[in-house]
Amino acid sequence: MKVLITGGAGFIGSNFTEYMLKKYKNYRLTVFDAMTYASNPETINKFRKNKNFKFIKGDICDFKAVMNAVKGQDMIVHFAAESHVDRSISGPEAFIETNVKGTFNMLEAARLCGVKKFLHISTDEVYGSIKKGKSKEGDILDPTSPYSSSKASADLIALSYYKTFGLPVVITRSSNNFGPYQHPEKFMPLFITRAIECEQLPLYGDGKNVRNWIYVEDNCSGLDIVLHKGKNGEIYNVGGDVEEPNIKVAKCIVDALSRDMGLIKFVKDRLAHDRRYALNSSKLKKLGWKPKYKFEAAIGLTIQWYANNDKWWMGLKGKKFSKYYRSNYGKK
Ligand code: NAD
Ligand code: DAU
């Protein structure tokens, strides 16, 4: 089986690539990634020795490059996207280009090349902020930010390719992932890496916005099930069991690293900041999916990973050596 993974040098895509290389020894995986600011070459360097792994540097907005990569592939798992909500507020255009036009290019190439499965990776943010209950796959789309709106647009175009052309599309919408290899612009790695360095932790608004956390490996096992057992034309939510307000997660990080709670600083809120996301994942559970990790254990593993891999994130922050690195390993 030949699988093309777009965005495989990013957070979830690289965790998924690792998961698949371990589980399916006879699959040949090709990562197609533009290596934007969100990626890190070190993330995928570890795969390079594996004979079942291939890397193509390419942009999903470049249709010719996309066609060349898609030819001969059996399945596509499409992660590549601009993924950070704050950036979509300060510069929305790249989100429309990559998430809408780029996804269109992927779908069109998949149709022309007769790909047998197209797994489109979407997000719980397309349902918008919800006051109570949990979002189900059939709920209306009510996205807030340019990011979530671009993702909702891409979902609709993907479904149109199933309905109109019979392209075997399946969609997953997952909740907030956390774990190794997440860019330190995102809440959890930002707070962990700043707490490691005893820097202030900028908590938006009143800190009571709620996110539905899922450990990235649990998302990967859900994606694997949808890729192999999901019904064409269907959407599957992939949500963790835990809902927490940001303030509680921030305190948990500060506590685990034995830092001072005074590091937490309330700052100006994000524009149109969605208050709460929560997913009902019973449809995926009926296919046999069960998350493996408890939140407390998984956040511990995550903190440990960032503490052990400071070289990986220091580069992404544009720093050579951190205060933490110096105090632990001496001056360089
Ligand atoms: P990420 O920002 O860590 O990685 C995105 C990857 O896509 C990067 O390697 C980047 O170089 C690549 N990329 C960006 N633009 C590209 C382009 N034009 N052509 C080719 N490659 C390009 O993102 P992530 O957090 O791993 O998210 C992956 C997918 O999952 C996205 O589609 C996102 O919307 C979705 N998602 C993420 C979360 C989450 O909590 N992180 C939750 C639900 C859904
Ligand atoms: O819900 C799934 C989505 O989760 C994905 O689709 C997105 O790609 C991913 O980035 C993430 O979006 P969020 O906006 O929820 O994640 P972020 O890490 O940016 O923020 C999480 C929460 O923390 C949110 O309520 C905003 C808050 N926050 C974030 C940052 C960066 C802060 O309080 N301070 C911060 O500095």
Side-chain angles (χ1 to χ4, degrees):
M1 192 66 72
K2 289 187 188 165
V3 187
L4 183 71
I5 302 174
T6 72
F11 167 46
I12 309 177
S14 64
N15 276 283
F16 181 73
T17 301
E18 183 161 14
Y19 180 97
M20 295 290 283
L21 283 172
K22 265 191 205 145
K23 182 160 174 186
Y24 300 101
K25 303 283 183 208
N26 58 344
Y27 278 26
R28 278 189 272 158
L29 308 186
T30 301
V31 163
F32 182 85
D33 197 302
M35 303 305 287
T36 69
Y37 83 93
S39 65
N40 184 341
E42 278 183 41
T43 307
I44 50 166
N45 278 346
K46 62 179 185 290
F47 304 138
R48 290 191 189 267
K49 277 185 256 146
N50 191 315
K51 63 177 182 8
N52 290 332
F53 173 80
K54 190 178 155 190
F55 174 71
I56 301 173
K57 184 171 180 203
D59 188 335
I60 59 168
C61 297
D62 174 353
F63 187 65
K64 214 169 140 199
V66 166
M67 274 300 283
N68 285 334
V70 170
K71 256 178 232 152
Q73 299 290 340
D74 299 306
M75 307 200 276
I76 294 177
V77 185
H78 175 44
F79 293 95
E82 288 292 339
S83 68
H84 193 39
V85 174
D86 292 329
R87 285 179 187 260
S88 84
I89 295 167
S90 56
E93 193 174 351
F95 287 72
I96 309 305
E97 276 297 315
T98 294
N99 300 359
V100 182
K101 184 71 193 299
T103 299
F104 161 74
N105 282 343
M106 292 307 305
L107 290 160
E108 184 61 2
R111 176 177 83 87
L112 293 172
C113 297
V115 163
K116 296 182 202 80
K117 199 65 138 184
F118 190 105
L119 170 53
H120 171 65
I121 308 297
S122 185
T123 168
D124 60 359
E125 297 203 12
V126 298
Y127 300 115
S129 190
I130 59 160
K131 281 202 172 74
K132 52 182 181 179
K134 295 184 178 212
S135 302
K136 286 186 133 182
E137 290 82 352
D139 288 357
I140 60 152
L141 301 183
D142 188 19
T144 307
S145 68
Y147 162 69
S148 51
S149 305
S150 69
K151 293 296 289 185
S153 309
D155 287 18
L156 295 179
I157 299 167
L159 288 173
S160 83
Y161 265 67
Y162 167 72
K163 292 175 191 162
T164 310
F165 305 113
L167 186 72
V169 169
V170 278
I171 296 180
T172 55
R173 292 182 179 149
S174 89
S175 58
N176 279 66
N177 284 233
F178 67 102
Y181 299 105
Q182 186 170 30
H183 194 287
E185 68 184 353
K186 304 282 169 38
F187 173 68
M188 189 123 26
L190 179 77
F191 276 39
I192 294 171
T193 56
R194 289 185 70 89
I196 285 173
E197 299 207 77
C198 291
E199 291 173 353
Q200 279 191 335
L201 311 177
L203 193 60
Y204 295 164
D206 62 5
K208 289 186 186 153
N209 299 67
V210 170
R211 294 296 182 262
N212 181 189
W213 294 101
I214 182 169
Y215 191 56
V216 63
E217 196 184 314
D218 281 331
N219 185 20
C220 292
S221 66
L223 300 181
D224 174 21
I225 290 178
V226 175
L227 183 66
H228 292 98
K229 293 193 198 162
K231 201 169 153 225
N232 294 338
E234 295 287 319
I235 299 162
Y236 297 88
N237 288 342
V238 193
D241 287 336
V242 161
E243 279 183 47
E244 294 292 5
N246 296 332
I247 179 77
K248 197 167 162 203
V249 178
K251 284 182 177 168
C252 171
I253 291 168
V254 171
D255 191 43
L257 285 161
S258 306
R259 298 301 195 239
D260 192 314
M261 288 296 166
L263 284 183
I264 298 174
K265 185 173 190 286
F266 289 91
V267 299
K268 193 167 172 271
D269 208 354
R270 173 184 279 174
L271 289 181
H273 192 176
D274 283 340
R275 195 64 168 168
R276 174 175 174 261
Y277 305 129
L279 286 179
N280 176 323
S281 306
S282 53
K283 185 170 171 183
L284 179 57
K285 285 182 177 156
K286 280 192 197 131
L287 289 187
W289 178 70
K290 202 170 166 242
K292 195 166 118 188
Y293 291 87
K294 292 270 170 268
F295 182 71
E296 291 73 20
I299 199 169
L301 289 175
T302 305
I303 292 170
Q304 201 55 54
W305 189 87
Y306 286 93
N308 292 340
N309 292 277
D310 51 345
K311 274 191 176 168
W312 182 88
W313 51 264
M314 278 189 298
L316 293 175
K317 286 190 180 209
K319 292 181 182 175
K320 216 165 174 198
F321 298 111
S322 68
K323 282 187 258 168
Y324 170 79
Y325 185 89
R326 278 202 214 102
S327 61
N328 278 277
Y329 306 101
K331 215 172 158 208
K332 282 236 171 173

